[in-house]
Amino acid sequence: MEKEVIICLDIGGTNCRIGLVDREYEIYAQQILATAGLAEGGFMNGLLQLIEEYRETYQEDFQINAVSLGFPSTIDRTRRKLLSTPNIEGMDNLEVADILEERLALPVYLERDVNLLLLYDLFSFRLEEESTVIGVYFGTGIGNGIYMNGKLLYGRNGVAGELGHIPQLHADTVCGCGNTGCIEPIGGGRCLEELCTGTFAGTRIRDIYKKYRDTPELKTQVEAMSIPVATEINILDPDYVILGGGLLQMEGFPLKSLEENIYKHTRKPYPAENLRFLYSNVNQENGIIGAGIYGWKKWKEVEKYEMSYV
Ligand SMILES: [Zn+2]
């Protein structure tokens, strides 16, 4: 019998990755494409065509059970519909799961990209049995996943963990979400982009910490990164705090200063005295494997249900 796999996609604002993931979370036939190329002629059409062609290529050698996709989007509670996707045009209020299932005749699973990163980290650090784990991923924005009692936290509308939008009193910066005063424009990667065109004009973003980490501007930005993390720690008192994302990988990033700031803003003596940080290993494949972990979890739920009726 052919190997059972799930087609997994990690869709980002810049690149999309596609691969096959088996029950042991091994990846096969990984490909990377530019998201912009996929969007020509409508993103949904491009996505369908990509998956159909990919399936055609591999269906003789593999048994393809389902499709699992991670999006940089907010997704409704039932995980069937994209609510909003700030970085990809035409991907708001879209019933992606229904559309794909109808065309592909395969089960389709959707999840937020940061939740898939968290699932990958829970798996790689063997934390799935812990009661509360939070993941905070710093990129252009601030991504957050919350894992409690064996489940990802979704909330009433499916959008729990919008940690970048913690409000700051008297802050007047307008956030990408439309609100004024969110922490994300002060602590996220977009702030670095602005510094590189303004105060530190001519600097490449990747050099900014290496060159300027001791300036008041960067000290403020790193402290601003600590605020949402400390806030969530104060609320949830988690077993582990996973920190990750592109900013932490940049040369000269002041990791120690980030940890000290998180400590400074968490309640004493606890949880402050007992914090456990883990650092996500950034690897291009993590999102695809995360989609595989999620897809197989969903698949096995159905399998278990069907078995009970045999
Ligand atoms: Zn906001």
Side-chain angles (χ1 to χ4, degrees):
M1 198 176 105
E2 299 109 7
K3 195 172 255 302
E4 284 181 89
V5 291
I6 291 178
I7 296 179
C8 294
L9 288 99
D10 174 19
I11 295 158
T14 311
N15 290 316
C16 288
R17 295 183 170 80
I18 185 167
L20 302 168
V21 177
D22 72 10
R23 283 182 188 264
E24 281 74 46
Y25 310 144
E26 291 289 324
I27 310 184
Y28 308 87
Q30 198 187 161
Q31 296 174 13
I32 300 174
L33 313 91
T35 306
L38 215 55
E40 287 163 21
F43 188 83
M44 202 60 221
N45 282 334
L47 186 63
L48 259 167
Q49 199 182 343
L50 167 69
I51 299 171
E52 282 179 331
E53 286 174 11
Y54 188 82
R55 174 165 72 168
E56 215 155 284
T57 310
Y58 295 106
Q59 66 187 0
E60 280 194 17
D61 298 323
F62 293 91
Q63 182 190 320
I64 295 165
N65 286 354
V67 182
S68 177
L69 307 98
F71 284 95
S73 312
T74 51
I75 303 182
D76 79 315
R77 188 193 167 96
T78 64
R79 285 340 198 208
R80 304 289 299 166
K81 178 180 172 183
L82 299 188
L83 299 176
S84 85
T85 310
N87 295 316
I88 307 174
E89 218 162 288
M91 293 301 275
D92 294 342
N93 289 314
L94 203 59
E95 312 270 356
V96 170
D98 285 353
I99 296 169
L100 291 178
E101 280 185 358
E102 199 186 312
R103 278 281 289 273
L104 302 168
L106 285 173
V108 172
Y109 312 123
L110 309 182
E111 189 49 86
R112 292 164 70 211
D113 54 0
V114 282
N115 276 345
L116 298 182
L117 287 180
L118 180 57
L119 286 180
Y120 173 81
D121 285 334
L122 291 165
F123 164 73
S124 70
F125 291 123
R126 299 172 195 274
L127 301 179
E128 284 150 318
E129 302 301 317
E130 299 291 339
S131 76
T132 309
V133 181
I134 63 169
V136 187
Y137 303 92
F138 293 94
T140 308
I142 300 173
N144 173 225
I146 302 165
Y147 181 79
M148 291 177 86
N149 306 320
K151 283 182 178 166
L152 294 166
L153 186 73
Y154 284 173
R156 181 178 184 192
N157 300 291
V159 303
E162 284 294 308
L163 195 59
H165 308 283
I166 283 185
Q168 307 300 295
L169 192 63
H170 304 315
D172 56 4
T173 318
V174 178
C175 179
C177 76
N179 283 355
T180 299
C182 297
I183 193 74
E184 190 168 281
I186 313 168
R190 194 147 286 145
C191 166
L192 302 181
E193 288 170 23
E194 273 166 26
L195 285 172
C196 285
T197 53
T199 313
F200 305 128
T203 309
R204 291 177 305 182
I205 288 187
R206 66 181 138 132
D207 296 329
I208 195 167
Y209 289 116
K210 192 172 67 177
K211 285 188 170 170
Y212 297 113
R213 69 179 189 176
D214 295 325
T215 60
E217 287 83 355
L218 270 294
K219 282 188 172 170
T220 300
Q221 187 269 333
V222 171
E223 182 160 10
M225 289 171 76
S226 78
I227 301 291
V229 184
T231 304
E232 197 159 271
I233 292 171
N234 285 333
I235 296 169
L236 297 177
D237 186 13
D239 294 283
Y240 286 92
V241 177
I242 299 171
L243 300 173
L247 264 58
L248 273 62
Q249 299 298 309
M250 285 163 64
E251 198 182 341
F253 180 83
L255 209 52
K256 194 160 167 281
S257 163
L258 176 63
E259 280 193 16
E260 284 168 357
N261 276 298
I262 294 171
Y263 175 81
K264 178 174 135 188
H265 291 292
T266 40
R267 179 78 160 90
K268 317 294 181 308
Y270 299 111
E273 301 303 336
N274 205 9
L275 298 174
R276 290 191 290 194
F277 295 110
L278 289 168
Y279 290 94
S280 180
N281 294 311
V282 173
N283 188 318
Q284 313 282 25
E285 296 174 346
N286 296 3
I288 290 191
I289 301 174
I293 294 167
Y294 179 68
W296 279 110
K297 266 187 212 292
K298 302 293 275 184
W299 177 261
K300 284 169 190 172
E301 280 168 21
V302 174
E303 217 170 36
K304 210 161 107 190
Y305 176 78
E306 285 174 349
M307 288 290 279
S308 68
Y309 283 83
V310 170

